[in-house]
Amino acid sequence: MPELPEVQSTLNHLQAQIVGQTIQTFTARTTKLRWPIDPRLVHTLKGLKIQSISRRAKYLLLNTLLGNVVIHLGMSGSLQIVSKKSPAGKHDHIDLELNDHLLRFCDPRKFGAWLWIKNSDLKNHKLFAALGPEPLEDSFDGNCLWQMTRKKNTPIKQFLMQAKNVVGVGNIYASESLFAAKIHPLLPAHKLTHLQCQSLVHEIKTVLLAAISAGGSTLKNFITPDGKPGYFAQNHRVYGRAKQPCLNCHTTIEKINVAQRSTFFCPQCQINN
Ligand SMILES: [Zn+2]
């Protein structure tokens, strides 16, 4: 499933090829993605110039002077720039025709989304109003995490994965950053010290940036020949390593469930108090 780094890498990859281009046509070959595609998009989008592209959580926003084409990759979606003559495959559900090429959306499992949100409605839209801070912004720092966690009994791993607290820290990145910061995933959030909050925020940013930079170099292979998005082969330090020795201390890595999600940790390195 595309996580924040894949979405950011997609943005970085697309930027130069879509900003400044004008939408010629919008073609949807299905009406059913995660939410129905509004048939009015054909008329709404025609002639709009894409001023910029941005990201909020795992949503990509093609910004125009009137509003935003909001795209979510869902479970299996991917975006590609292709020539206008390129025939659409079975799972190529949407084409946005620009001046020079098509922006094509492929989504085998159809959990992705394409929406139109006017600029005036964006801030208070239900998709965005309740979202926590972006993990890579400077305002998300150790002090911010410390203040947010003071009255929270939630295990810190679960806390990190709730978008109302901070967006885009998916399951893998939560396990990896807690391992790097030497914090037990079940530690109640309010028990983190100020120093632990600083360390954890630093590690969250580090793992996300490493994944984005890996994406930047592998994105040209983003679609594999069988049509599946080729999400990055990651070098996980703890995730998926149950029963293997810890890379720091050789203690056996344990796997537990936290809020129904597989969670990996070293019982020696990651302290629970
Ligand atoms: Zn260890």
Side-chain angles (χ1 to χ4, degrees), residues 183-253:
I183 297 168
H184 196 288
L186 292 177
L187 185 66
H190 71 89
K191 289 200 172 176
L192 268 78
T193 64
H194 202 273
L195 202 60
Q196 283 177 314
C197 289
Q198 287 179 318
S199 168
L200 182 53
V201 166
H202 174 77
E203 299 299 347
I204 289 168
K205 291 176 192 272
T206 302
V207 296
L208 289 174
L209 287 170
I212 292 167
S213 108
S217 58
T218 59
L219 202 68
K220 58 182 177 294
N221 302 319
F222 204 51
I223 300 286
T224 55
D226 61 2
K228 290 181 185 159
Y231 298 119
F232 320 135
Q234 305 266 356
N235 289 321
H236 303 315
R237 302 197 73 227
V238 71
Y239 186 85
R241 297 192 69 249
K243 298 182 182 166
Q244 296 180 42
C246 170
L247 296 175
N248 295 334
C249 73
H250 306 292
T251 302
T252 303
I253 297 293

Side-chain angles (χ1 to χ4, degrees), residues 87 166 260:
V166 55
Q260 287 92 48

Side-chain angles (χ1 to χ4, degrees), residues 2-11 55 57-60 73:
E3 294 289 348
L4 185 149
E6 287 86 351
V7 178
Q8 183 64 42
S9 295
T10 299
L11 184 159
R55 179 187 60 72
K58 294 202 287 181
Y59 293 92
L60 283 172
L73 302 178

Side-chain angles (χ1 to χ4, degrees), residues 53-67:
I53 174 170
S54 57
R55 179 187 60 72
R56 179 72 175 108
K58 294 202 287 181
Y59 293 92
L60 283 172
L61 289 85
L62 313 186
N63 316 117
T64 78
L65 291 178
L66 293 182

Side-chain angles (χ1 to χ4, degrees), residues 18 50 52-53 60-64 67-71 96 103:
I18 66 169
I50 298 172
S52 60
I53 174 170
L60 283 172
L61 289 85
L62 313 186
N63 316 117
T64 78
N68 307 273
V69 182
V70 177
I71 304 168
L96 198 63
L103 175 65

Side-chain angles (χ1 to χ4, degrees), residues 132-133 140-171 174-175 177-178 183-192 197 200-201 204 258-259 261 263:
F140 181 67
D141 59 12
N143 200 39
C144 172
L145 181 63
W146 189 79
Q147 290 187 349
M148 281 197 296
T149 49
R150 287 313 83 197
K151 288 180 180 168
K152 305 290 175 165
N153 247 328
T154 323
I156 184 60
K157 187 198 174 230
Q158 188 181 348
F159 181 91
L160 291 180
M161 291 185 60
Q162 292 171 335
K164 64 182 179 184
N165 299 321
V166 55
V167 300
V169 184
N171 196 36
S175 274
S177 55
L178 286 165
I183 297 168
H184 196 288
L186 292 177
L187 185 66
H190 71 89
K191 289 200 172 176
L192 268 78
C197 289
L200 182 53
V201 166
I204 289 168
V258 178
R261 301 301 301 273
T263 302

